[in-house]
Amino acid sequence: MPALAAASHVMPTYRPFDVAFVRGEGAYVWDEAGRRYLDFNAGIAASALGHAHPAMVAALSEQAQKIWHTSNIFRIPGQVELADRLTAATFADLVFFTNSGAEAIECAIKTARKYFSARGEGNRQRVITFDGAFHGRTLGALAAGGNAAYLDGFGEPLSGFDQVAFGDHEALEAAIGPHTAAILVEPIQGEGGVRALPPQCLTGLRRLCSERGLLLIYDEVQCGMGRTGALFAHQRAEGAAPDIMAVAKGIGSGFPLGASLATSDAASGMVVGTHGSTLGGNPLAMAVGGAVLDVMLADGFLSSVVALGDALGARLERVVADYPDQLAEVRGAGLLRAVQCKHDNRVLLNACIDRGLLAAGGGDNVLRLVPPLIIDESHLAEAETLLRAALDDVAAGEGAG
Ligand code: PLP
C-alpha cells in the first residue's frame, strides 16, 4: 500500500499518497524513482488528452510567449473564438469562462436565480438537487451538493436548495413549488459513485422543466467534454438539452479552465456587473481550450471514445464476473466507468497503485476508471491485467493494510 505523504506546510485538507509524478506522456506518468504507471485516474477525469499532448504543448508554449493575462476589462479575442465554437457545438448561446468546476457551478446557480429576479420573480430562487451529487467545494456548490460531511463546521449553508433522492420521480415532482427556479443534476454522477441517469430520464427532466417553467441545469464538469463519447453526456439523449450547463475538467485537459454555458434567454439576467473573475478565460486558458476542442472535434475522435468505452465496459463486466467475492457491478458510460466493490474500495485502489495502475475512488464504494480519452485498445488490455493482478493481491491479503 502506498504510504501517505509526510506532514508539510501545505494545509492538510488532502491526505495524498506518498508518490509524486515528475513526467507524463500520453496515458503514462513516471514517479520520482522512474517507475511508470498507467494513468486511469487522469487527474480525476480532467486530463482528457493525457499528458504532454503535442497539440496542447504547442498551443500553451506559443501563447506563453505572446501574452498570458490581461483581465476581462479588456477584450479577449480567444474568448470570443472559444465561445463561438462551444455554442456552435451545443444548445448554448453564451459562455462565461471560469478557472474551475465549482466556479462554473456558482455561475450556473447565479444565472438561474438572476433569470427569475430580472423577470420580477425574485421569490423563485430555489434549486432542486439530488442526493449523491457533487458540485464542488465552494459554499454555494457545497449547499447544492448537500453532503453533510462536507458542510460540517462551515456555518449556515447557503439557503435555497431542496434535495431529493436520485432517480425518484415522485419525490422530484413533489419538491417543485412556487419558489422553485431550477433543477440541477449531473447526467452521470461522478464523485457520487458513477451513477448514470438513463437517457429517457434526461428527456423527461427536460419535459418537466419546460412544462413547469423551470430552468434545467446540468453539471457536466466530470461527465462532459467527450468522456462518454459525445461532446456532452446529455447529447446522447433525445431532446434533453438544458438551459444552463457547467463544464470544467476536460475542457482544459489539466489546465485550470471551466465554463458556464447558457441559452441567451436563461442568461438574460446576467448583464454588466452581475458576475466576474480576474483570471477566468485569460488568453493562456483560451489557447489551451481551443487546442483541446480542435482534438476532440476532429473526425473520428469521439467515435473512438464510444468504441473504447464499450470495450472497457465489456472488459470490466468480465472482471466483475471473475471476482464475484470482491466486485458487485460495472457502472457508467464511455470512459467514465467504475466497478462497485464489496469490500473497502480504498484497499483495491491501493493495490492498483501498487501494481502501477492509477485509478480513483468514489462514493458508493466504487473504484473509478477514468482514463485519458486518447488511449487505445492496448491500454485497456494493460489496465485489465493490472486490475486483475490487484484483485488477486487483495484476495491474497497483500493489498490490505
Ligand atoms: N462538479 C462535478 C460533477 C465534479 O465532479 C467536480 C469535481 O470533481 C466539480 C463540480 C468541482 O470541480 P472543481 O474541483 O474544478 O471545482
Side-chain angles (χ1 to χ4, degrees):
M1 171 183 188
L4 298 173
S8 74
H9 293 284
V10 176
M11 199 178 281
T13 60
Y14 282 91
R15 209 157 39 129
F17 293 116
D18 196 13
V19 55
F21 300 110
V22 292
R23 188 167 79 81
E25 194 180 316
Y28 294 99
V29 290
W30 284 262
D31 70 13
E32 291 158 312
R35 182 173 181 212
R36 190 180 85 158
Y37 298 76
L38 178 60
D39 189 3
F40 270 44
N41 173 304
I44 317 187
S47 304
L49 303 188
H51 301 278
H53 190 287
M56 286 184 62
V57 172
L60 190 64
S61 329
E62 196 186 315
Q63 187 61 43
Q65 291 171 44
K66 292 184 188 160
I67 191 156
W68 295 24
H69 179 61
T70 56
S71 95
N72 287 297
I73 65 167
F74 301 105
R75 196 162 52 80
I76 299 177
Q79 278 194 19
V80 176
E81 196 180 317
L82 190 55
D84 273 355
R85 297 180 70 194
L86 286 170
T87 54
T90 62
F91 69 96
D93 305 306
L94 294 167
V95 184
F96 183 91
F97 291 105
T98 70
N99 308 289
S100 69
E103 288 169 273
I105 285 290
E106 297 287 338
C107 179
I109 295 167
K110 284 180 72 175
T111 302
R113 288 183 164 193
K114 198 72 170 176
Y115 171 81
F116 286 102
S117 71
R119 287 157 46 115
E121 295 181 80
N123 60 344
R124 286 183 69 179
Q125 298 281 291
R126 302 195 73 82
V127 177
I128 297 175
T129 62
F130 295 86
D131 75 337
F134 182 76
H135 299 297
R137 296 288 201 144
T138 52
L139 287 169
L142 278 182
N147 183 326
Y150 293 165
L151 283 160
D152 182 46
F154 294 113
E156 203 56 48
L158 181 69
S159 63
F161 295 95
D162 298 303
Q163 194 157 81
V164 299
F166 186 76
D168 185 338
H169 294 253
E170 278 171 25
L172 174 61
E173 296 242 10
I176 299 173
H179 303 304
T180 307
I183 295 175
L184 165 61
V185 65
E186 294 159 83
I188 303 176
Q189 283 191 345
E191 304 298 307
V194 187
R195 296 195 296 175
L197 274 183
Q200 65 273 20
C201 283
L202 293 176
T203 310
L205 274 179
R206 172 68 275 173
R207 197 178 320 118
L208 181 66
C209 285
S210 300
E211 282 167 9
R212 307 292 288 269
L214 308 179
L215 296 174
L216 178 59
I217 309 173
Y218 288 147
D219 180 343
E220 290 233 16
V221 167
Q222 186 154 159
C223 63
M225 290 308 292
R227 189 147 287 282
T228 62
L231 189 59
F232 293 101
H234 74 269
Q235 292 173 328
R236 297 153 65 240
E238 278 295 311
D243 301 289
I244 303 170
M245 176 170 71
V247 179
K249 293 194 187 261
I251 191 174
S253 194
F255 192 91
L257 172 60
S260 189
L261 282 65
T263 63
S264 47
D265 182 40
S268 54
M270 299 303 277
V271 297
V272 172
T274 52
H275 200 46
S277 168
T278 300
L279 286 157
N282 79 9
L284 211 49
M286 295 301 94
V288 171
V292 170
L293 216 49
D294 287 344
V295 174
M296 285 195 185
L297 295 180
D299 271 355
F301 185 86
L302 291 173
S303 54
S304 93
V305 176
V306 173
L308 288 161
D310 289 348
L312 176 58
R315 283 179 183 276
L316 293 176
E317 291 290 355
R318 289 195 292 272
V319 174
V320 168
D322 290 346
Y323 290 86
D325 293 344
Q326 291 193 59
L327 301 177
E329 62 171 357
V330 180
R331 295 184 181 178
L335 293 176
L336 174 51
R337 297 280 176 176
V339 287
Q340 192 190 30
C341 301
K342 291 186 175 170
H343 311 296
D344 188 346
N345 58 348
R346 288 167 303 181
V347 174
L348 181 57
L349 176 59
N350 287 329
C352 285
I353 298 174
D354 276 345
R355 282 283 173 178
L357 174 66
L358 304 185
D364 229 7
N365 209 28
V366 301
L367 180 84
R368 265 180 299 167
L369 296 155
V370 283
L373 312 182
I374 45 84
I375 54 165
D376 60 35
E377 181 58 39
S378 72
H379 299 110
L380 296 182
E382 188 182 347
E384 181 181 345
T385 303
L386 295 171
L387 177 59
R388 283 177 183 271
L391 286 159
D392 290 339
D393 291 345
V394 173
E398 292 173 28

